[in-house]
Amino acid sequence: MKAFAVADDVIFEVLGAVAQVQRLDTPPVTATLVARDGAERLGEYQQVIGLVRHVCARNREWVFRRGDIVTLDGRSQAVESVVRNDGQVNEAVLHG
């Protein structure tokens, strides 16, 4: 288990970007996120219907909920849905 925690720290250190995350009626929090732009959004018949931005955060820094506002690289987007949470890292799809 410790090897995965160390690997997560290395990945976030190398690929991460500092972002602001805010939940309704609370002040913004600074967190290190790993962004993946151009992730495919699939339609009903598994055809690509668009490209979206996914962001990952370590659970100790932030756990995403629908409606959270993420500001990364000067662009603010709302969390549309949470894709996964493995207990260490959680991933969300941003709207827009």
Side-chain angles (χ1 to χ4, degrees), residues 5-77:
V6 171
D8 282 344
D9 288 339
V10 171
I11 290 169
F12 276 86
E13 183 178 320
V14 173
L15 301 176
V18 177
Q20 296 285 322
V21 187
Q22 185 173 13
R23 193 158 286 148
L24 185 65
D25 299 331
T26 62
V29 173
T30 301
T32 302
L33 306 180
V34 173
R36 186 169 44 134
D37 290 322
E40 295 177 343
R41 174 172 290 194
L42 301 178
E44 183 177 352
Y45 300 105
Q46 301 305 304
Q47 76 278 22
V48 177
I49 59 172
L51 302 176
V52 293
R53 175 182 264 189
H54 283 222
V55 289
C56 297
R58 290 177 279 203
N59 286 4
R60 66 177 183 249
E61 289 188 48
W62 188 267
V63 177
F64 293 112
R65 278 197 271 177
R66 185 179 168 102
D68 289 350
I69 302 298
V70 177
T71 304
L72 182 63
D73 298 331
R75 182 177 174 193
S76 294
Q77 295 174 279

